[in-house]
Amino acid sequence: MRKTYFLVIPVLIILTISSVFFMHNLAMSIITGSQETEISTTYTQYNGTYFPYKLEVTYYPGNATTSNLGLPSSWTVTNYNQGHNAVVKTISEEIASGVAWQIPLLNYVGGVAIPLSTPPSQLPWAQQMGVKGALVMETQMAGEPLGVTLADNLLFATEDSLPGSIAAINPLTGNMVWYATGLAGQAMNNPIVWNGVVYVSVGGVCFTFSQFVHYELHQYNDIVRARNGAVYAFNATNGQLIWMRFTMGEAMPAPAIYDGILAYTTGGGCFVGLNATTGQVIWMDRFPGLMGNMASVNYYVMPNGTPLFLAGFTYVAPPYGYIIAVNGFNGDEVWNATMPSPFVGANTGLGDVAPAVDQNAGLVIDNDIANFSNGMIDMVTFALNATNGKPVWAVNLGRGPIPPAYKGGMPLIYGNVIYDGNPSLGTVNAISINGTILWKTKLPDLQTPPEYPGGPRGSPTYYHGLLWVAAGHNVYVLNPHNGKIMTMYYVGGRLGIMNPVIVGGTMYLSNSYGWVIAIPLSQIYPAWKS
């Protein structure tokens, strides 16, 4: 793998009360109503660089809870932890009992939250693209592809609708605490929280025409996906902008934090490590022609204590993608891997699915499509040695029509079992840590390719001896030992590349139709405590 390594240290200034007006052309207004105070702040530049849109932060201090909910103080990777099991603890009696609310998040940030009961035929673009295309477009261009974040006494969610946005919501009531609009691109990922700061990276799925020219001329190393990327750091409590950084190409994948280093990837083939507090660049790698896609960054800690940041990249020609591991302290490439043989990777490659990490077993688990022919593909889950990237095993979850857009299923590691979805066939699969398929279960009432996008795409969640899966317009509850379906619960809308986030007796979901939802587990499955 060709790599250029260099150190970049730009002049960055941390915001203070005295400097913020000078640096941002900032305007602030405070509106006091009969019930709540609204504080609005507008930013038009940072560190001498102008923004493409006005970055507007609206804060409702009266909507935040005054109680300590006992939620974690950090959320360092997509789906909370290295194994992607989004279960956190709480000391809140209300959340432990189960809270219920819905918030039409898209309506706050300039979009349209579509009623959850709306059939796909009434979605934007449905008459022009059909229901499959409309469902994909709603997820990629307007709604919420990934799940929510629970940390620092708040629930955080992003929205795609341009300009992109991030919001902080009271987990007890569903009331908006603050939201920021005018991000430089679509916000398509799971917000990361650390040390009182929430981080979001942004960027869209599109290519300029010049990139197609590069493709036609086989100039693959010159291709850059999108141009509107950036990384933002906001005060988690009130939304104040702390720092931001533009990126080469989109920055769709969620970053990861370890030991104060924020690592992210871009559509320009960049793998970057920043000081999470200041935004200062510690290291930067460039892999020409590779593109960060939706494969959020994860990490593995070596036996000697050195962290490896791991991310998937897409390439437009065979082998179509790589997982790359870099030294978290200096950015040096440690290893790269492709789809293990005898499988031949296809299409968007390893850039789609965020790898899961089994820290105890020393394995990296991922999922990808392979052996494409005549519109059909194999869905493959595989394991790599986390220290050197060598293949350990690979299993075929079944052959079916190629799914649109995001191609794979994000794996969950719990104990000695991997739970993974096959969106081509609409199945959930259990695989032992040594690569043996334990069971396969097809989810009922889940429409699959080629007519529909299929699922499940996000990772399942393991909680209280049950497997909770979001797919299509339902939440499914399965017995994790044999795959038996215990129940399914209708939510509506579309649950895309998202995982249920569970705390106490409450599940939190995002929805491609523009909603964030809290549901008591007892409403989904009344026998869940037994």
Side-chain angles (χ1 to χ4, degrees):
M1 173 64 59
R2 178 184 172 191
K3 176 188 127 175
T4 303
Y5 169 77
F6 54 94
L7 182 66
V8 178
I9 305 179
V11 177
L12 292 170
I13 303 173
I14 302 176
L15 299 183
T16 65
I17 297 296
S18 59
S19 67
V20 71
F21 289 91
F22 170 75
M23 294 176 59
H24 295 276
N25 287 358
L26 178 148
M28 179 179 291
S29 62
I30 300 177
I31 303 171
T32 303
S34 58
Q35 295 181 337
E36 61 187 18
T37 299
E38 174 186 310
I39 302 174
S40 297
T41 310
T42 299
Y43 305 84
T44 59
Q45 60 171 291
Y46 173 72
N47 206 24
T49 300
Y50 280 94
F51 294 164
Y53 313 107
K54 288 188 297 183
L55 176 59
E56 297 183 324
V57 178
T58 304
Y59 175 40
Y60 304 98
N63 283 351
T65 178
T66 57
S67 303
N68 176 16
L69 303 180
L71 299 176
S73 61
S74 61
W75 186 286
T76 57
V77 298
T78 285
N79 295 10
Y80 182 53
N81 57 28
Q82 294 164 279
H84 293 161
N85 199 39
V87 174
V88 302
K89 295 181 179 179
T90 184
I91 59 174
S92 165
E93 293 183 1
E94 295 95 329
I95 294 177
S97 297
V99 299
W101 50 258
Q102 295 180 354
I103 180 171
L105 185 54
L106 259 179
N107 290 352
Y108 282 84
V109 299
V112 176
I114 297 172
L116 294 173
S117 59
T118 303
S121 59
Q122 291 182 246
L123 290 177
W125 306 288
Q127 293 186 13
Q128 292 74 29
M129 304 180 66
V131 295
K132 180 175 71 172
L135 286 164
V136 171
M137 290 291 287
E138 185 66 20
T139 301
Q140 291 188 333
M141 301 296 181
E144 302 158 37
L146 267 66
V148 299
T149 293
L150 271 175
D152 264 10
N153 241 32
L154 290 165
L155 182 152
F156 299 94
T158 61
E159 288 285 2
D160 278 358
S161 82
L162 283 171
S165 63
I166 181 172
I169 300 165
N170 184 326
L172 288 175
T173 63
N175 290 333
M176 183 70 70
V177 176
W178 63 263
Y179 64 94
T181 60
L183 304 181
Q186 289 142 313
M188 300 185 69
N189 54 47
N190 191 204
I192 300 302
V193 179
W194 179 79
N195 203 26
V197 180
V198 57
Y199 304 87
V200 59
S201 57
V202 303
V205 299
C206 299
F207 292 89
T208 61
F209 181 74
S210 60
Q211 308 311 305
F212 289 96
V213 175
H214 289 316
Y215 178 80
E216 290 295 325
L217 296 176
H218 304 289
Q219 299 168 343
Y220 302 140
N221 284 0
D222 294 329
I223 294 175
V224 175
R225 183 171 185 169
R227 299 288 178 178
N228 55 333
V231 180
Y232 295 84
F234 296 96
N235 181 296
T237 300
N238 58 27
Q240 181 184 18
L241 179 66
I242 298 173
W243 57 258
M244 71 83 61
R245 176 180 177 81
F246 289 106
T247 63
M248 177 182 287
E250 45 77 12
M252 286 191 297
I257 286 183
Y258 184 82
D259 199 24
I261 300 171
L262 180 78
Y264 67 90
T265 62
T266 80
C270 297
F271 206 152
V272 186
L274 305 179
N275 180 308
T277 301
T278 66
Q280 183 177 20
V281 175
I282 301 171
W283 48 263
M284 178 184 290
D285 303 330
R286 179 83 194 282
F287 303 99
L290 298 191
M291 294 166 278
N293 200 0
M294 289 296 288
S296 300
V297 183
N298 207 333
Y299 67 86
Y300 169 72
V301 183
M302 302 264 285
N304 65 2
T306 301
L308 300 183
F309 285 114
L310 310 158
F313 288 86
T314 293
Y315 194 65
V316 298
Y320 296 107
Y322 296 88
I323 294 178
I324 297 178
V326 301
N327 183 308
F329 294 140
N330 58 29
D332 287 344
E333 181 180 348
V334 177
W335 55 260
N336 68 79
T338 61
M339 169 74 72
S341 61
F343 301 104
V344 179
N347 201 269
T348 48
L350 300 177
D352 264 346
V353 180
V357 172
D358 189 320
Q359 183 67 44
N360 294 326
L363 295 176
V364 175
I365 308 296
D366 212 346
N367 173 290
D368 193 15
I369 60 173
N371 304 337
F372 174 81
S373 65
N374 299 319
M376 302 291 284
I377 49 88
D378 294 322
M379 191 70 62
V380 179
T381 297
F382 59 91
L384 306 173
N385 182 302
T387 299
N388 57 30
K390 300 297 183 183
V392 178
W393 52 258
V395 294
N396 191 344
L397 302 181
R399 188 166 182 83
I402 186 169
Y406 184 94
K407 296 295 189 297
M410 196 181 299
L412 160 72
I413 304 171
Y414 188 86
N416 292 319
V417 180
I418 298 142
Y419 300 96
D420 208 355
N422 181 342
S424 175
L425 301 178
T427 62
V428 178
N429 308 270
I431 308 162
S432 72
I433 204 68
N434 62 10
T436 301
I437 296 177
L438 303 175
W439 52 257
K440 296 182 180 182
T441 296
K442 183 171 178 59
L443 300 179
D445 194 36
L446 178 60
Q447 296 162 318
T448 54
E451 290 82 11
Y452 291 87
R457 294 168 185 247
S459 59
T461 301
Y462 192 104
Y463 185 63
H464 273 230
L466 295 168
L467 201 64
W468 309 74
V469 181
H473 45 241
N474 294 314
V475 171
Y476 300 84
V477 182
L478 279 66
N479 182 320
H481 304 296
N482 57 24
K484 178 183 177 182
I485 297 174
M486 312 302 290
T487 191
M488 65 181 189
Y489 176 85
Y490 176 81
V491 175
R494 186 190 179 208
L495 303 169
I497 320 165
M498 61 85 48
N499 56 293
V501 176
I502 298 178
V503 53
T506 306
M507 177 182 292
Y508 294 97
L509 301 168
S510 60
N511 196 288
S512 294
Y513 280 28
W515 297 78
V516 175
I517 306 164
I519 310 173
L521 296 183
S522 59
Q523 186 171 319
I524 299 171
Y525 183 51
W528 76 274
K529 288 185 178 180
S530 59

